[in-house]
């Protein structure tokens, strides 16, 4: 009881200092260490850039770039990289009010190799575990969670305890209100086995009203890889908007009333690793602005394409004007909308 009282007091104090954010995400944070030389393996790279990383954190950064107040529920180590994460979050407009400091584990770093146009090996240094996976149910800011207009969570946060229980607490507290978005986000190296991932990610879909994933992630979550069948399976789980990314074939979206295909925005890719995060931020922006689903997905897809032309992720997020300008010169990305009978 005392601990719950302390948690409530903490939330009240935060509420007094910070207005509750419009956009709240939960999950990974860390440092991206990306090579400044392209087309060579890490063993040959001579210099690197250091950037804020972690998909849910990057999504919050993208939302902040579009003018939304945003925060991420995450964890960092009590180390210089943890300090960097919090400083960079604030610099990029994301509140660090819900960042937990976990002295027992180091802030994770992520390396990648860059072989354009479509080969970007990524190496996560998160062993034996990461601070963001040490979130507990007591770390969930319930009032902020209920107040947020959009809440986004990803599959990785369900991969181990105590983070899994923290996510369950967040989802039960949220109750599918507002826009509650699940990024299916399956990365095999974070899971004991695929069966566990299918159970946990698939089970979390019932708490969301929007689901986003590529074909493999849909296969793991709902047992369907075919885009149309995967979208139908997601709708059957209760989501209102089912989004299936198809790489160079564009994006398929289904609702109860519409089937929408959004062609890919053709660009000269440099590093595609931040595209999904930019898509997530663009998706949230369109939903909060009340745009049509077709317009929202076209915007999100184009934002992802822009970030693919840049080296980093978090600091590469485009402005709304940049995205709309790109759309204006790519009429071939006009969505194809069909009514569903």
């Amino acid at each position: 009881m005392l601990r719950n009282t302390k948690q409530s007091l903490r939330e009240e104090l935060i509420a007094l200092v910070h207005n509750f954010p419009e956009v709240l995400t939960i999950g990974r944070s860390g440092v991206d260490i990306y090579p400044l030389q392209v087309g060579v393996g890490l063993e040959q790279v001579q210099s690197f850039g250091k950037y804020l990383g972690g998909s849910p954190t990057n999504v919050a950064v993208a939302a902040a770039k579009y003018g939304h107040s945003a925060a991420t529920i995450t964890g960092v180590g009590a180390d210089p990289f943890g300090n960097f994460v919090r400083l960079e979050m604030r610099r990029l407009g994301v509140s660090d009010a819900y960042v937990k400091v976990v002295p027992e584990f180091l802030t994770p770093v992520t390396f990648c190799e860059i072989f354009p146009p479509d080969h970007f090996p990524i190496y996560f240094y998160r062993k034996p575990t990461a601070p963001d996976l040490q979130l507990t149910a007591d770390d969930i800011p319930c009032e902020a969670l209920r107040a947020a207009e959009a809440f986004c969570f990803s599959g990785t946060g369900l991969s181990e305890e105590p983070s899994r229980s923290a996510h369950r607490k967040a989802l039960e507290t949220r109750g599918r209100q507002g826009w509650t978005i699940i990024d299916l986000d399956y990365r095999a190296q974070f899971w004991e086995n695929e069966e566990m991932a299918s159970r946990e990610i698939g089970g979390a879909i019932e708490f969301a009203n929007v689901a986003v994933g590529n074909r493999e992630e849909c296969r793991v979550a709902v047992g369907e890889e075919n885009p149309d069948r995967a979208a139908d399976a997601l709708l059957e789980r209760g989501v209102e908007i089912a989004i299936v990314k198809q790489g160079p074939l564009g994006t398929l979206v289904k609702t109860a009333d519409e089937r929408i295909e959004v062609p890919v925005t053709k660009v000269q890719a440099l590093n595609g690793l931040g595209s999904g995060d930019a898509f997530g931020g663009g998706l949230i922006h369109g939903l909060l602005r009340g745009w049509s689903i077709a317009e929202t997905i076209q915007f999100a897809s184009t934002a992802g394409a822009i970030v693919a032309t840049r080296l980093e992720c978090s600091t590469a997020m485009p402005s709304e004007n940049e995205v709309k300008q790109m759309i204006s010169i790519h009429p071939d990305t006009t969505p194809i909308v069909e009514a569903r009978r």
Side-chain angles (χ1 to χ4, degrees):
M1 178 64 70
L2 180 60
R3 186 165 189 169
N4 289 338
T5 301
K6 287 182 177 179
Q7 177 70 11
S8 298
L9 289 172
R10 178 176 179 273
E11 290 183 12
E12 290 174 9
L13 288 171
I14 289 173
L16 289 172
V17 178
H18 307 274
N19 291 325
F20 287 134
E22 295 175 84
V23 178
L24 194 56
T25 68
I26 184 172
R28 294 199 312 276
S29 67
V31 181
D32 287 345
I33 308 292
Y34 283 3
L36 300 182
Q37 287 78 50
V38 175
V40 297
L42 285 176
E43 65 274 13
Q44 295 177 285
V45 174
Q46 296 180 335
S47 55
F48 297 84
K50 177 170 94 308
Y51 311 98
L52 176 66
S55 182
T57 306
N58 289 340
V59 169
V61 169
K65 188 69 176 280
Y66 298 129
H68 302 285
S69 58
T72 299
I73 308 167
T74 187
V76 298
D79 52 48
F81 278 154
N83 294 339
F84 169 77
V85 166
R86 299 187 69 175
L87 288 169
E88 191 70 350
M89 286 174 68
R90 295 199 296 268
R91 187 180 76 84
L92 295 174
V94 177
S95 171
D96 67 339
Y98 310 120
V99 177
K100 178 181 182 177
V101 177
V102 184
E104 295 86 355
F105 300 103
L106 295 174
T107 303
V109 296
T110 301
F111 289 86
C112 77
E113 296 175 322
I114 301 176
F115 294 96
D118 58 5
H119 185 52
F120 311 105
I122 190 165
Y123 306 91
F124 295 97
Y125 287 74
R126 294 170 60 88
K127 297 294 184 182
T129 189
D132 54 70
L133 289 172
Q134 297 306 300
L135 292 172
T136 70
D138 289 333
D139 298 314
I140 300 302
C142 295
E143 293 305 314
L145 197 61
R146 295 187 187 100
E149 295 182 40
F151 173 59
C152 183
F153 66 102
S154 69
T156 297
L158 301 165
S159 62
E160 66 178 69
E161 293 288 3
S163 175
R164 184 181 302 142
S165 293
H167 278 63
R168 287 174 179 163
K169 170 71 174 296
L171 296 175
E172 290 168 0
T173 299
R174 178 74 175 173
R176 222 180 206 171
Q177 66 189 63
W179 292 111
T180 302
I181 303 160
I182 179 171
D183 177 354
L184 300 178
D185 182 43
Y186 172 66
R187 299 174 187 270
Q189 62 267 47
F190 295 157
W191 293 87
E192 289 183 20
N193 53 62
E194 189 174 303
E195 291 73 23
M196 177 183 288
S198 296
R199 181 176 66 251
E200 296 298 335
I201 298 174
I205 294 171
E206 67 179 84
F207 293 96
N209 46 35
V210 182
V212 185
N214 60 31
R215 294 175 64 175
E216 181 191 21
E217 290 167 341
C218 289
R219 177 187 62 77
V220 171
V222 295
E224 295 285 358
E225 189 171 8
N226 173 275
D228 272 285
R229 291 200 299 269
D232 289 340
L234 289 167
L235 292 174
E236 289 169 4
R237 299 283 184 98
V239 305
E240 299 172 27
I241 306 173
I243 303 167
V244 183
K245 298 177 183 177
Q246 306 175 87
L249 298 179
T251 306
L252 171 68
V253 187
K254 279 189 172 182
T255 69
D257 303 315
E258 293 181 323
R259 182 186 186 278
I260 303 167
E261 290 187 81
V262 179
V264 69
T265 305
K266 296 178 182 178
V267 295
Q268 190 72 36
L270 173 61
N271 181 4
L273 293 176
S275 294
D277 304 340
F279 185 103
L283 170 65
I284 289 171
H285 182 53
L287 293 174
L288 294 186
R289 286 289 184 262
W291 297 345
S292 71
I293 296 173
E295 184 181 7
T296 295
I297 302 304
Q298 183 185 28
F299 183 93
S301 176
T302 304
I306 291 172
V307 171
T309 68
R310 300 170 178 176
L311 173 65
E312 70 277 16
C313 298
S314 55
T315 51
M317 297 302 171
S319 67
E320 181 176 324
N321 285 339
E322 286 179 281
V323 179
K324 289 188 172 180
Q325 183 177 9
M326 178 69 84
I327 290 172
S328 72
I329 62 176
H330 283 274
D332 53 341
T333 65
T334 300
I336 302 167
V337 183
E338 302 173 358
R340 297 186 69 193
R341 295 181 175 84

